[in-house]
Amino acid sequence: MKKLVITTVADPMMGMLWETWPTTRKLETHYGEQLEFKFLSGQLVKNVYDLVDQNVRQRFGDRVALNQYWVRLMQIYLQEEQIGNMPIYMGGNERLFDEHHLSSVTLNQGILTIAGDQQPRLDQVLYEIQYDTVINNLQTNDIKYLTTLAQRFELGAEEFKARYNSDTIKQKLNNSEQVRQQLQIDQLPAYLLTYQGKTFVVKGLPKYENWQKLIQQVTNGAITEQTVKFDAATLAAFLNKHPHISQLELQTAFDVNEQAITDALSTIDLEKQRVKGTIFYRKKG
């Protein structure tokens, strides 16, 4: 089967990436095995001091400059919620950047370490990091957090540490940067569409109807939408692939309303957490 590979180029810290999950889920169900999804590390913030107000930093010091930047960043996160209606909370717990946490590179390094080359696992690790960043407001670029997350994915602390500091992971990060430079990707998120040896760069946040046109153009109509089946078996298989997911994503993926999802999940033993206008489901165990 000919496949179109869609590679998302982004940083796990990005609210804009979080907002794309419903559209991604719909692409998964409507195109099935014809699409293959990959992730390329974006490494958005190399050093947060490059982004603070330098005049404030010079006059009042690092801490005040970082506080000011964090307030501005929280406002950006909350504005991004309007993109896809995936809920975002800010200010309820820890902050991402402080005097001891100056970069998002650790996030990118952590996800590559925990997921390895397993794409389904990468998808799940990425989702957990994003959820903890924009819902639980945890300091997800902290090594202690990443070590704990690794253990949730059955990667022990010592093995995580060894992989995290390995030349292999560092090379993957360097390779990602080289790809971004070669393809002149100067804004995130971006997407690489690869089909039959040709790669096209898409910048911005395409809506589903934009994706339909892009897929048609890139594959010359060879890849088309399929009929979406919504039943207990299909939903169970989808939850096995995505054991932590929102009601909004499920509605979007299967083109059904909230009640249909609620009814379909009523016999499945799931943890539930309401966040603003949607419910997040998590498989137990």
Side-chain angles (χ1 to χ4, degrees):
M1 177 191 295
K2 294 178 180 178
K3 287 191 176 186
L4 171 64
V5 178
I6 299 177
T7 302
T8 302
V9 187
D11 191 297
M13 69 168 278
M14 295 181 67
M16 282 191 288
L17 176 62
W18 174 249
E19 294 301 319
T20 65
W21 285 116
T23 300
T24 299
R25 302 303 184 223
K26 187 164 185 173
L27 288 169
E28 289 180 42
T29 54
H30 285 60
Y31 288 90
E33 297 300 319
Q34 300 174 100
L35 301 183
E36 180 180 349
F37 294 90
K38 294 185 178 182
F39 180 80
L40 189 69
S41 166
Q43 304 172 65
L44 182 64
V45 180
K46 302 288 196 312
N47 188 330
V48 71
Y49 284 133
D50 295 335
L51 303 175
V52 304
D53 187 315
Q54 298 304 321
N55 290 327
V56 171
R57 185 184 181 193
Q58 186 175 15
R59 291 182 62 191
F60 302 106
D62 292 345
R63 182 170 296 182
V64 173
L66 287 169
N67 287 344
Q68 183 191 62
Y69 172 75
W70 182 241
V71 170
R72 187 166 74 248
L73 184 59
M74 286 194 296
Q75 292 171 342
I76 292 172
Y77 270 117
L78 293 172
Q79 290 169 358
E80 289 170 343
E81 185 180 41
Q82 301 172 19
I83 296 171
N85 295 318
M86 285 286 281
I88 293 178
Y89 274 128
M90 275 291 129
N93 203 339
E94 302 167 328
R95 59 178 59 189
L96 199 58
F97 300 109
D98 59 27
E99 291 166 290
H100 305 290
H101 301 82
L102 303 176
S103 171
S104 68
V105 174
T106 50
L107 267 174
N108 295 265
Q109 194 168 341
I111 192 173
L112 294 176
T113 302
I114 299 169
D117 295 321
Q118 303 175 51
Q119 183 57 38
R121 182 179 173 118
L122 190 148
D123 184 276
Q124 293 172 17
V125 175
L126 176 59
Y127 196 90
E128 293 307 313
I129 286 176
Q130 289 224 281
Y131 187 88
D132 284 339
T133 301
V134 302
I135 301 297
N136 291 332
N137 296 166
L138 300 183
Q139 196 167 46
T140 50
N141 56 347
D142 182 81
I143 193 65
K144 291 181 181 178
Y145 164 82
L146 292 169
T147 302
T148 301
L149 181 65
Q151 292 171 333
R152 285 165 55 187
F153 284 89
E154 300 181 346
L155 181 64
E158 290 303 316
E159 187 176 359
F160 169 79
K161 182 179 178 181
R163 288 190 191 179
Y164 183 86
N165 293 310
S166 69
D167 291 338
T168 300
I169 296 299
K170 293 175 184 176
Q171 188 59 53
K172 285 184 177 181
L173 291 171
N174 290 335
N175 290 345
S176 297
E177 282 296 280
Q178 289 174 12
V179 170
R180 285 185 59 190
Q181 292 172 9
Q182 290 169 359
L183 297 178
Q184 299 180 337
I185 297 174
D186 53 4
Q187 67 181 63
L188 299 176
Y191 299 90
L192 309 180
L193 276 59
T194 304
Y195 185 71
Q196 293 189 312
K198 295 182 179 180
T199 296
F200 304 86
V201 179
V202 177
K203 298 180 181 180
L205 294 172
K207 295 182 179 180
Y208 184 74
E209 53 269 27
N210 302 127
W211 277 114
Q212 289 174 302
K213 294 176 183 177
L214 285 166
I215 291 169
Q216 196 280 331
Q217 292 169 357
V218 170
T219 69
N220 198 27
I223 290 180
T224 58
E225 287 180 291
Q226 60 188 20
T227 301
V228 178
K229 192 176 182 180
F230 181 67
D231 57 24
T234 304
L235 188 57
F238 203 67
L239 286 171
N240 284 335
K241 186 178 180 182
H242 306 299
H244 193 190
I245 195 168
S246 70
Q247 189 173 57
L248 175 60
E249 291 166 80
L250 291 171
Q251 288 176 234
T252 306
F254 292 101
D255 299 316
V256 295
N257 60 28
E258 182 178 336
Q259 191 60 50
I261 296 297
T262 301
D263 293 343
L265 296 178
S266 62
T267 59
I268 303 176
D269 190 18
L270 299 168
E271 296 176 1
K272 303 174 186 177
Q273 181 176 3
R274 175 168 288 279
V275 182
K276 293 187 177 180
T278 191
I279 297 172
F280 284 88
Y281 298 98
R282 189 195 298 266
K283 289 193 69 176
K284 294 183 178 180

